[in-house]
Amino acid sequence: MDELAAHLGLSKSTVSRAMNGYPDISESTQMRVKTAARKLGYRPLSHAQAIRTGQVRAIAMVLNSDEPDQHNPFLQDFLAGACEAASSLDWTMTISTATSDRDTLNVLRRLVEERKADGFILPRTAVKDSRVGLLRDLKVPHILYGRTGYGQPNNLEETSWFDIAGETAMRKAVLRLAGFGHKRIGFVGSDPKFNYSHLRRDGYLEGLREAGLSADPALIRDGARTRDDGAAQAMALMQLDQPPTAIVFATDLAALGFCSAAQDQGFEIGRDVAVIGYDGIPECRYARPALTTFAVESRTAGQRLATLLIRQIRGEDPTTLRELTEATLVEGGSDGPPQLSPSELSKKIRHHKDQNRGGNHR
């Protein structure tokens, strides 16, 4: 530190604070100090820093391997973004796994006790999220990927979060379909334990109101987290006497599951029934027809979460570290104007059933 300070003509205190990213040191000075440090071969000893500052310069995330959609296709991009952001600030990103919600709490507590991380990114926020309560009790910095507390008293005023406005995407999806001429628009949501599921349903309902369409509870299904869930819930909608001519899905996985099952049943996606998803996973582009969806920049989300969390650890007010962005519409061939009325669609479904029965009987 003495050598680096002398080399730059700065005080040892300024160099130290610049190396540790304190906000009272300008970005240009921080960059100058860190660039010189690299050229001179200076690297901080993490264990020495931990003793002196109480920080290990590491953030962490615990993934629940027991989740039915644990292999979500955009997880890789999200983790890459978080790791890139942490590395750019000379921090480390640690990924741990747990086998249940209860085990997640145990892993979080262990990582805190063993001083393996200075703060945590909490993905998949629930309406009632016990992880938040644990880390608040332990006074450990954390940031949510999503919001929490839907319908609950607001007791999380001090929590930082980053989220994408899925409710806005659902509203826009309904208005897009209504603009094509659809009047019976269904909705297939995710697990109600997750906060985003409620927000996206609210967006769907808001879209109906704006489009001047009445909300029919029979057109709303929940609990679709996987392809099979999406197929089952949406196919149930198609059995109604007046089935929807369009369906908005809270996730792409559920939408793709329905598209595959519907095509097996003789439906033509984009003509017999219009479909819009949400997430923008790579598989959407390769579906036939390609899925119309609202895409999330997962890598950017990871980058922002890591950056905001490190800023919080360094002392910034958590209530100022909140960001809400929007998903981007990616048009495919899975939606468009209705080709059949609900009654005509119901007749086609019955005809297909009768044909199958006849074929099976023969």
Side-chain angles (χ1 to χ4, degrees):
M1 294 292 285
D2 288 334
E3 180 182 345
L4 188 57
H7 174 77
L8 293 168
L10 298 172
S11 70
K12 185 176 176 180
S13 173
T14 297
V15 170
S16 175
R17 296 182 72 79
M19 287 297 293
N20 285 285
Y22 282 89
D24 61 333
I25 305 299
S26 69
E27 289 188 14
S28 60
T29 299
Q30 289 188 37
M31 182 65 69
R32 179 185 168 208
V33 170
K34 291 177 181 179
T35 300
R38 290 191 180 95
K39 288 181 178 179
L40 293 173
Y42 173 81
R43 292 290 185 276
L45 295 174
S46 59
H47 62 276
Q49 278 198 325
I51 293 172
R52 181 171 54 81
T53 66
Q55 295 179 355
V56 293
R57 296 179 68 85
I59 58 176
M61 187 166 72
V62 180
L63 301 174
N64 187 346
S65 61
D66 194 44
E67 297 285 359
D69 55 348
Q70 57 170 302
H71 300 299
N72 210 308
F74 58 82
L75 181 60
Q76 181 177 347
D77 281 344
F78 173 80
L79 294 178
C83 291
E84 288 169 2
S87 180
S88 71
L89 297 169
D90 293 326
W91 282 58
T92 300
M93 178 79 189
T94 298
I95 310 298
S96 295
T97 58
T99 56
S100 66
D101 289 342
R102 177 176 294 183
D103 189 39
T104 296
L105 298 180
N106 293 334
V107 173
L108 287 170
R109 187 178 289 106
R110 175 175 58 79
L111 292 172
V112 172
E113 291 173 351
E114 295 177 358
R115 297 181 65 186
K116 295 290 181 61
D118 301 310
F120 295 88
I121 295 173
L122 304 181
R124 298 183 183 277
T125 49
V127 173
K128 296 181 179 179
D129 205 309
S130 55
R131 300 171 301 174
V132 176
L134 171 67
L135 294 177
R136 289 187 70 181
D137 290 344
L138 295 174
K139 294 181 172 52
V140 174
H142 54 279
I143 188 168
L144 313 181
Y145 185 15
R147 287 157 281 174
T148 187
Y150 180 89
Q152 307 296 313
N154 186 11
N155 59 354
L156 297 173
E157 297 90 347
E158 300 175 1
T159 303
S160 300
W161 50 263
F162 175 91
D163 201 6
I164 294 93
E167 61 271 34
T168 300
M170 298 295 99
R171 179 179 63 81
K172 289 181 177 180
V174 171
L175 292 175
R176 174 181 171 87
L177 292 168
F180 284 139
H182 293 277
K183 298 188 182 302
R184 280 186 67 77
I185 303 171
F187 175 75
V188 175
S190 187
D191 189 333
K193 81 174 185 179
F194 293 111
N195 209 77
Y196 73 80
S197 186
H198 298 273
L199 293 173
R200 293 178 196 177
R201 184 189 59 220
D202 285 352
Y204 159 79
L205 294 172
E206 179 61 28
L208 291 179
R209 284 191 290 271
E210 287 192 33
L213 301 175
S214 59
D216 183 351
L219 292 178
I220 300 175
R221 307 284 295 195
D222 285 317
R225 296 188 60 188
T226 66
R227 288 173 174 271
D228 289 344
D229 294 339
Q233 297 293 352
M235 291 303 288
L237 292 179
M238 303 309 294
Q239 305 309 312
L240 296 172
D241 291 338
Q242 292 289 299
T245 59
I247 305 177
V248 177
F249 288 81
T251 68
D252 285 341
L253 283 178
L256 291 170
F258 167 68
C259 289
S260 178
Q263 288 168 329
D264 289 343
Q265 294 294 317
F267 294 108
E268 189 173 350
I269 300 299
R271 292 181 60 83
D272 294 336
V273 59
V275 174
I276 297 181
Y278 178 93
D279 279 329
I281 63 177
E283 291 173 80
C284 295
R285 299 192 300 271
Y286 306 118
R288 290 293 178 268
L291 184 67
T292 296
T293 184
F294 282 83
V296 173
E297 290 290 339
S298 298
R299 185 179 292 263
T300 299
Q303 291 171 342
R304 294 306 302 153
L305 281 156
T307 301
L308 293 172
L309 177 57
I310 291 172
R311 285 169 57 184
Q312 182 189 153
I313 295 169
R314 287 173 170 171
E316 291 192 42
D317 182 355
T319 63
T320 67
L321 302 174
R322 297 172 178 172
E323 294 183 6
L324 184 65
T325 64
E326 292 191 12
T328 303
L329 175 67
V330 178
E331 296 183 355
S334 67
D335 67 336
Q339 304 298 310
L340 301 173
S341 69
S343 296
E344 291 169 337
L345 181 55
S346 178
K347 183 178 179 180
K348 179 174 182 176
I349 293 169
R350 290 196 304 270
H351 178 69
H352 187 269
K353 278 185 177 180
D354 292 341
Q355 282 187 320
N356 284 343
R357 286 197 197 99
N360 291 336
H361 180 70
R362 289 192 295 272

